[in-house]
Amino acid sequence: MNALFVLCSPECFLTLSALFLLLWQAIAKPNYKSVGILVLASYLISGVLLLPFVDNQGIYWNGLYVWDKMAVLWKVFFLITGFLVTYLSLESNSLITKGRAEFYTLPLLTTAGMALLASVRDFILLFVGLEIVTVSFYILVAFQKEFPSALEAGVKYLVIGALASSFLVMGIAFVFGITGSTQFDEVARFAQNNPVSTPLVLGLIFVLVGLGFKASAVPFHVWTPDVYQGASTPITSYLAVGSKAAGFVVLLRVLNLPFYDQSFQKHWIPLIVLMALLSVILGNLAAIPQRNIKRMLGYSSISHGGFLLMGLSAHNTIGCAAVIYYFFAYLVAIFAAFLVVILLEKNQPSGISIKDFNGLYQKNGLLAWSMAFAMISLAGLPPLMGFFGKLMVFLAAWESGQHLLVIVGALCAAAGLYYYIGVVRAMFWAEPETVQRIVLSPATKVLLWILSIGSILLGFYAEPVIKLVGAVLS
Amino acid sequence: MNTSSLLAWVLLLAPLLSAFMIWAFLKPFPFLSQIVSVGACAISFLIAIGVALGSIHEPVTINWIDIGGLTVQLGMVFDSLSKVMLLVVTGVGLMIHIYSMGYMGEDPGRSRFFAELSLFMLSMLGIVVATNFIMMYLFWELVGVSSYLLIGFWFEKPSAANAATKAFLANRIGDFGFLLGIIMFWTFTGSLMFDPSLSSYFKGHPLVTIMALLLFCGCVGKSAQIPLHVWLPDAMEGPTPVSALIHAATMVAAGVYMLCRIFFVLEQSEQALEVIAWTGGITALVAALTATQQDDIKRILAYSTMSQLGYMVMAVGSSATIAAMFHLCTHAFFKALLFLGAGSILHVLHHEQDIWKMGGLWKKMPLTFLTFFIGTCALAGVPGFSGFYSKDTILEMVGEKNKMLFWLGLFTAGLTAFYMTRLFVLTFMGAPKSEVAEHAHESPFVMGLPMVVLSFFALVGGYSVVGIEKALGTTHEAMSQAAKLNVMILSVLVGLTGVGIGAFAYWNKQKEIVIFPLFKNKFYFDELYELTLLKLQQLLAGVFAWLDEWIIGFGIVRGSAFLVSVGGELLRVFQTGNIRSYAFIFGAGAAAILVFFLISS
């Protein structure tokens, strides 16, 4: 473990650059835009610094921290997420009136926490990483404190989040109390050699409850629609992709190492299946009557959490590969959708409802097409990326014998079409109130093109991503 | 990759490139777009000929997805089934591309039209050459998309937009079953290939009937079989060349093609075949009855398409896949021809679609009259025309398996002759019944040429010299010559009766002679669906509005409407009970899970 490696890891680099930028703006008072651009640059540099260490393998600090292909892949995922969130923040700068520089800088710390979570191998480190992410989200959600709705969302997120954290800590305490260790492989070894007692199962369930909050799985989802609607749009997209992925990367680690043993599996598989079932049903059906786009995407995010849990419930390689692929598909679609929402919010800061998409095609074709691709990909229609994600999840779950889950999931996915297509219909076939062309900056145009083409190409030609994921898992 | 392999891929690449180029660059140049699209289709056609002659072979397969246990390949299969289908799709497709140059000549959006047409060609050819379920499903959805786009081509018309949505939804229901069937197939066999030797995995398995029926769902949606047929008549809102190509000749027949491709699955279950045969038979009858009372020329043809597809499905259900494919081919020729004829009439009559406002067109439009006449004869099953041979083959094969279905099919044949005669007499004979019909004139040459070519094939397509049936495989000789002759005599008699009644009843009539409300209103399927769906939707919406209001969303609006200051806000949030109820749900959920686990362990 050399110093260079530590310095170059995204956790360390992003934290340092965040501290530097905070100090710099406190002392030199630069203009907001340059801070934002430096934040973008930090993500890029961090990605470049990752390159020499891609092939590293190892477990460090007495088993606290692991660096493997999966960790690298997730770190890259979080870097992309952070980059796009910052870009979205820059696009929506007219909506954030105070403390813009902090608004750009804070996500650096959140992303650092997420990158740390990609490497956890110990329950204590897991808790620390998760709290870094959650606490910084408390601030980010309530950032527009002149809006009561943002404040309310922040408080709701805080209270429910604290509740979830307490469950998590309790669970970790139970696990530590029985097994005498917080390290993942120690716990796994204990389960192999000793019978699993009730308190240990309690610990497992408490940990899953705590993580269920991050994944916004039913019944731990209640905060999702309100917070998605109340938070500023870049933060909503960050919650939808980054925070959810952080929950799932931890779930992937936890379920595949400390709780991998048969005696554990017979407890957590029914639980995950149950949460998946409830999430896909409630998420898809409750999204149907929604009028506010962010609220609708909140429910849609609950349903996607359900599909992802479906992949986890398969407890096999295809299931894990499906979860990772699904997340990349989700990232592409969600950021395209929220970018469009942000561009529309510029003219209408009070919130965007489905009706505001009426006739978007006439106002700006590129926006309408990007949104349409995002919606179709989220709905899971071929040949876009979302379809392959869903297909793989269904195949994995079916193979592991969860037939009912797959049938319900497919039915709910079909029901979900209703609200996704509703947006497409509004954009292409409804008459707008005013036809006012929307002008896009060149960078935004390029980004929209990349996201749209990416969702088509990586759908049609999914192999590179799937191969990558397969290599990561082997 | 050698040249032959490369050429085979060009079959798909040509329309793909054409669609992409038009969409990306050629939008402002409609004329160039036409040329590119027609050229791409012609290239595909030439390659299809090469494939049929055996000079172009199957290319090496490409591994597309390969992760533990799941392998999907991109490949092409050139067997007798796909060779014939390729020729039909590209041949009819080419004719309709050429025709469209005339028909869409003045439409401002024709670049988009041709791009979408090329997209359709790509996806349709993809279905034909697919070697496995996933590849087929992918292109299957893609034809769905292009059909959706083309139905809604004139999206300014609300009826077109609604029709597009309806088609989309009906197909989704079918495809949902199809996908489940595919997943089930994969679980049985661990493979997704169309490989008859895989049937050993599920031979005699009790679930095979369910799998076969789930796969059949795909065909029910795409080939407009009852109960998912409601979209096809509405799909006539699209431009007429689209109706001819997609909703008559090729795409709707893809369901039948798919059934033939996966027949090795279907034949494992007698019950599934029974269901398939009856679905086809009933669709054929219901559609024909409905067609007898419609007034819109395109809708009559649409119901007739549905009815003929029912024939093909019935044939597959009676294990007569070759007869089904034979009828698919001849039907593609004469139905495309009929639609092009209808399009030619609409083109000069300024889109007047009511047959009661036509009449006397035989003098004004001699070429359309002649070609339409050939199409009508072929569809009505007049001896000597292609439809007669293929329909007879189906009736023979069905008669061997199921006498009831045979009589049903025979009666439908009579109905077909009847309503086509009605259509023909009202449109072309007698005196003009409206102002526009008085001033009709012949369509341009570019539209006439494809009609002539197609009518040639509609005439001779059934002859054994042309050899469509032989190309599809060995012909069945199960029946004795005498029985065959009996079927032939019966069907000729029934056909002539139909023609006779139709001609006698509608010659020089000004309005409908007798109205059957059940047929006129299409057996009330639309009303039924609207009622049940509407009720269901209202119920669901009500339930979720309630949930949203009371459990989930005391939310932003109500929570913050009364708030004055930040401090007040904080207090308020804690005191509305709102967040407490959230925390309560969270805790109750966790508690319920705990109780469950403690009891179970």
Side-chain angles (χ1 to χ4, degrees):
Chain A
M1 193 79 202
N2 57 37
L4 187 66
F5 177 43
V6 175
L7 272 178
C8 288
S9 69
E11 296 88 319
C12 195
F13 180 80
L14 292 182
T15 313
L16 288 179
S17 51
L19 292 177
F20 166 75
L21 286 172
L22 283 173
L23 275 178
W24 182 50
Q25 75 206 19
I27 296 164
K29 305 246 182 295
N31 75 354
Y32 308 118
K33 199 135 198 165
S34 53
V35 176
I37 287 168
L38 277 178
V39 171
L40 286 181
S42 312
Y43 286 120
L44 285 181
I45 295 169
S46 179
V48 173
L49 289 180
L50 209 52
L51 285 178
F53 303 102
V54 166
D55 290 326
N56 271 23
Q57 297 269 6
I59 296 166
Y60 304 99
W61 291 302
N62 302 324
L64 271 182
Y65 183 93
V66 59
W67 185 280
D68 55 9
K69 286 234 169 73
M70 183 156 124
V72 175
L73 185 68
W74 279 110
K75 282 174 210 274
V76 172
F77 179 90
F78 290 129
L79 287 177
I80 298 173
T81 309
F83 182 88
L84 289 172
V85 168
T86 310
Y87 188 84
L88 261 58
S89 307
L90 278 167
E91 266 296 340
S92 68
N93 57 7
S94 57
L95 301 173
I96 315 282
T97 45
K98 279 184 209 148
R100 264 186 242 163
E102 286 90 343
F103 188 70
Y104 300 141
T105 322
L106 266 178
L108 279 174
L109 289 170
T110 320
T111 311
M114 289 173 182
L116 183 65
L117 282 178
S119 289
V120 289
R121 216 181 142 75
D122 185 292
F123 279 110
I124 298 297
L125 194 64
L126 184 160
F127 186 70
V128 171
L130 216 54
E131 284 306 287
I132 296 177
V133 174
T134 314
V135 171
S136 53
F137 264 120
Y138 296 151
I139 304 166
L140 288 171
V141 168
F143 206 88
Q144 294 167 290
K145 53 180 181 288
E146 59 280 10
F147 289 112
S149 59
L151 216 50
E152 185 177 332
V155 172
K156 280 177 183 164
Y157 191 64
L158 172 73
V159 172
I160 307 290
L163 193 61
S165 295
S166 61
F167 270 97
L168 185 64
V169 174
M170 192 69 176
I172 294 175
F174 269 114
V175 172
F176 177 68
I178 302 298
T179 63
S181 170
T182 55
Q183 279 192 11
F184 286 179
D185 38 357
E186 290 289 328
V187 175
R189 208 170 301 137
F190 180 88
Q192 268 171 8
N193 301 328
N194 301 292
V196 170
S197 57
T198 309
L200 197 50
V201 176
L202 271 183
L204 162 74
I205 291 170
F206 278 174
V207 169
L208 289 186
V209 168
L211 294 176
F213 161 77
K214 280 262 148 225
S216 52
V218 179
F220 313 115
H221 67 288
V222 268
W223 57 276
T224 316
D226 286 3
V227 174
Y228 275 38
Q229 192 177 357
S232 63
T233 310
I235 298 310
T236 308
S237 70
Y238 203 16
L239 274 173
V241 179
S243 170
K244 202 183 212 55
F248 271 93
V249 69
V250 174
L251 276 171
L252 274 174
R253 288 273 185 214
V254 168
L255 296 181
N256 283 322
L257 190 59
F259 297 139
Y260 188 69
D261 197 69
Q262 276 295 317
S263 46
F264 278 122
Q265 281 192 2
K266 75 168 193 277
H267 291 293
W268 63 254
I269 288 176
L271 177 57
I272 297 277
V273 168
L274 183 74
M275 293 204 292
L277 262 182
L278 293 175
S279 303
V280 289
I281 295 175
L282 189 129
N284 275 312
L285 295 185
I288 291 175
Q290 298 309 324
R291 291 292 159 264
N292 181 296
I293 184 81
K294 279 162 78 179
R295 204 170 171 80
M296 187 197 99
L297 286 172
Y299 281 110
S300 141
S301 148
I302 295 175
S303 83
H304 286 292
F307 288 118
L308 289 159
L309 286 173
M310 213 181 258
L312 281 183
S313 78
H315 59 88
N316 56 17
T317 322
I318 301 189
C320 296
V323 169
I324 301 178
Y325 181 80
Y326 200 116
F327 256 112
F328 277 93
Y330 188 61
L331 174 136
V332 171
I334 278 289
F335 276 111
F338 276 112
L339 185 52
V340 173
V341 171
I342 282 178
L343 292 168
L344 292 181
E345 268 178 350
K346 278 186 180 171
N347 297 331
Q348 198 177 351
S350 56
I352 299 295
S353 75
I354 310 285
K355 237 199 286 166
D356 298 318
F357 282 91
N358 282 358
L360 183 61
Y361 180 66
Q362 295 170 39
K363 294 181 194 167
N364 190 314
L366 179 60
L367 274 188
W369 279 110
S370 305
M371 189 71 184
F373 281 132
M375 288 294 121
I376 292 170
S377 184
L378 286 177
L381 292 188
L384 299 185
M385 277 185 96
F387 166 70
F388 281 96
K390 279 215 175 68
L391 184 70
M392 282 169 69
V393 168
F394 286 162
L395 287 176
W398 185 279
E399 202 191 37
S400 68
Q402 311 291 358
H403 298 179
L404 176 74
L405 186 56
V406 173
I407 292 171
V408 173
L411 274 175
C412 289
L417 269 177
Y418 185 86
Y419 58 90
Y420 293 120
I421 297 303
V423 178
V424 177
R425 195 192 163 112
M427 290 189 300
F428 288 89
W429 283 297
E431 280 301 316
E433 280 167 17
T434 53
V435 181
Q436 184 190 4
R437 292 286 304 174
I438 297 172
V439 186
L440 304 178
S441 70
T444 305
K445 268 188 202 161
V446 170
L447 186 59
L448 283 172
W449 272 100
I450 291 176
L451 291 173
S452 305
I453 291 181
S455 73
I456 303 169
L457 273 192
L458 291 178
F460 250 121
Y461 192 59
E463 207 198 356
V465 181
I466 291 176
K467 246 201 186 125
L468 186 72
V469 171
V472 162
L473 288 170
S474 58
Chain B
M1 208 183 271
N2 54 31
T3 347
S4 164
S5 200
L6 203 66
L7 271 176
W9 284 114
V10 171
L11 181 72
L12 295 182
L13 286 178
L16 174 67
L17 268 181
S18 147
F20 179 75
M21 268 170 56
I22 297 175
W23 186 67
F25 309 114
L26 298 179
K27 267 235 172 112
F29 314 107
F31 185 73
L32 218 57
S33 307
Q34 285 177 7
I35 302 291
V36 167
S37 179
V38 173
C41 190
I43 291 172
S44 294
F45 180 57
L46 289 179
I47 291 171
I49 291 178
V51 170
L53 295 176
S55 50
I56 294 177
H57 305 286
E58 295 173 11
V60 218
T61 53
I62 300 171
N63 256 357
W64 186 29
I65 297 173
D66 192 5
I67 43 164
L70 172 69
T71 313
V72 181
Q73 292 177 327
L74 266 188
M76 290 188 171
V77 56
F78 295 153
D79 58 0
S80 50
L81 201 62
S82 60
K83 277 179 185 168
V84 171
M85 193 72 183
L86 275 182
L87 277 180
V88 171
V89 169
T90 52
V92 175
L94 182 61
M95 286 306 119
I96 290 171
H97 270 75
I98 294 173
Y99 178 90
S100 304
M101 298 204 308
Y103 191 84
M104 301 300 287
E106 288 128 39
D107 197 285
R110 71 203 128 118
S111 295
R112 184 161 57 91
F113 178 83
F114 278 96
E116 288 167 0
L117 217 51
S118 283
L119 180 69
F120 169 76
M121 286 308 286
L122 160 75
S123 23
M124 189 65 211
L125 292 172
I127 291 183
V128 176
V129 298
T131 58
N132 60 63
F133 275 109
I134 293 294
M135 188 174 162
M136 178 178 265
Y137 186 75
L138 201 75
F139 286 111
W140 186 267
E141 287 296 327
L142 215 56
V143 278
V145 170
S146 43
S147 142
Y148 174 70
L149 290 172
L150 283 165
I151 295 173
F153 180 73
W154 287 313
F155 56 79
E156 315 83 59
K157 280 201 296 186
S159 59
N162 285 338
T165 317
K166 197 168 176 183
F168 188 73
L169 288 180
N171 272 303
R172 286 308 302 172
I173 299 173
D175 293 351
F176 164 65
F178 189 35
L179 186 62
L180 276 186
I182 293 176
I183 294 180
M184 229 171 135
F185 181 87
W186 182 65
T187 357
F188 271 132
T189 65
S191 166
L192 289 159
M193 301 298 286
F194 297 131
D195 182 356
S197 63
L198 291 173
S199 61
S200 60
Y201 283 99
F202 46 80
K203 206 169 203 138
H205 196 284
L207 284 177
V208 72
T209 306
I210 295 180
M211 174 166 76
L213 288 179
L214 281 174
L215 291 170
F216 176 56
C217 280
C219 167
V220 173
K222 195 117 301 186
S223 290
Q225 299 295 296
I226 285 175
L228 294 181
H229 64 283
V230 284
W231 67 271
L232 184 59
D234 288 12
M236 298 301 134
E237 291 292 343
T240 306
V242 169
S243 309
L245 178 62
I246 301 185
H247 305 114
T250 56
M251 184 190 84
V252 286
V256 177
Y257 177 80
M258 184 269 282
L259 290 184
C260 296
R261 210 10 109 225
I262 61 161
F263 192 70
F264 68 97
V265 180
L266 305 181
E267 68 183 349
Q268 299 300 329
S269 163
E270 270 306 313
Q271 294 96 319
L273 283 180
E274 188 94 342
V275 173
I276 293 172
W278 276 103
T279 311
I282 291 171
T283 307
L285 179 66
V286 167
L289 284 174
T290 313
T292 56
Q293 291 268 297
Q294 300 302 311
D295 299 329
D296 180 324
I297 184 168
K298 283 180 75 181
R299 276 182 188 254
I300 297 176
L301 291 177
Y303 277 105
S304 137
T305 305
M306 215 174 109
S307 168
Q308 298 302 309
L309 289 168
Y311 258 101
M312 298 172 212
V313 171
M314 180 167 79
V316 174
S318 311
S319 308
T321 50
I322 291 181
M325 283 304 293
F326 183 29
H327 195 54
L328 192 161
C329 297
T330 56
H331 175 257
F333 295 132
F334 62 70
K335 190 49 69 65
L337 169 64
L338 285 172
F339 266 108
L340 295 191
S344 162
I345 295 169
L346 300 187
H347 191 64
V348 294
L349 292 192
H350 306 294
H351 296 271
E352 176 56 65
Q353 308 202 352
D354 192 342
I355 50 174
W356 293 99
K357 295 193 175 141
M358 297 174 185
L361 293 178
W362 65 276
K363 224 175 355 186
K364 312 261 165 61
M365 309 176 71
L367 184 68
T368 308
F369 166 71
L370 201 66
T371 51
F372 205 91
F373 177 72
I374 294 173
T376 307
C377 289
L379 175 55
V382 174
F385 293 85
S386 63
F388 171 74
Y389 299 97
S390 52
K391 194 182 278 184
D392 250 26
T393 322
I394 290 184
L395 284 177
E396 281 165 24
M397 302 299 297
V398 172
E400 256 176 77
K401 276 209 88 161
N402 189 333
K403 280 283 171 252
M404 280 261 283
L405 274 176
F406 170 75
W407 291 110
L408 194 150
L410 198 64
F411 179 60
T412 309
L415 281 176
T416 311
F418 168 74
Y419 68 69
M420 280 316 290
T421 313
R422 169 177 177 264
L423 169 66
F424 188 76
V425 166
L426 288 176
T427 314
F428 287 101
M429 297 304 165
K433 297 184 196 58
S434 71
E435 192 69 13
V436 274
E438 298 256 10
H439 303 294
H441 54 87
E442 190 55 86
S443 294
F445 173 74
V446 69
M447 289 165 70
L449 177 74
M451 283 153 61
V452 172
V453 174
L454 282 173
S455 55
F456 173 73
F457 282 103
L459 185 62
V460 305
Y463 298 162
S464 52
V465 195
V466 182
I468 293 181
E469 202 178 5
K470 213 182 288 159
L472 284 164
T474 47
T475 43
H476 307 259
E477 284 299 337
M479 271 185 127
S480 64
Q481 277 308 320
K484 240 180 169 167
L485 203 64
N486 278 344
V487 171
M488 196 184 278
I489 292 171
L490 266 177
S491 81
V492 169
L493 274 181
V494 168
L496 289 181
T497 319
V499 171
I501 296 178
F504 178 72
Y506 286 98
W507 197 271
N508 255 339
K509 289 288 187 306
Q510 295 302 318
K511 61 180 195 332
E512 190 64 74
I513 40 175
V514 55
I515 290 176
F516 295 99
L518 185 64
F519 304 159
K520 183 102 188 158
N521 292 308
K522 310 148 196 168
F523 286 77
Y524 298 104
F525 269 106
D526 280 330
E527 285 78 3
L528 186 73
Y529 286 169
E530 200 152 299
L531 208 68
T532 43
L533 283 182
L534 215 65
K535 277 271 173 322
L536 197 70
Q537 196 189 2
Q538 273 170 357
L539 190 75
L540 272 180
V543 169
F544 288 113
W546 183 83
L547 270 181
D548 196 49
E549 199 166 337
W550 290 103
I551 299 184
I552 301 154
F554 252 97
I556 306 304
V557 184
R558 230 157 308 175
S560 46
F562 316 100
L563 303 175
V564 194
S565 67
V566 172
E569 158 94 10
L570 280 174
L571 274 177
R572 196 90 192 175
V573 165
F574 282 112
Q575 284 173 356
T576 46
N578 181 11
I579 200 159
R580 266 190 303 188
S581 72
Y582 282 20
F584 175 74
I585 293 173
F586 191 102
I593 289 169
L594 276 180
V595 169
F596 173 73
F597 276 93
L598 291 182
I599 289 171
S600 68
S601 64

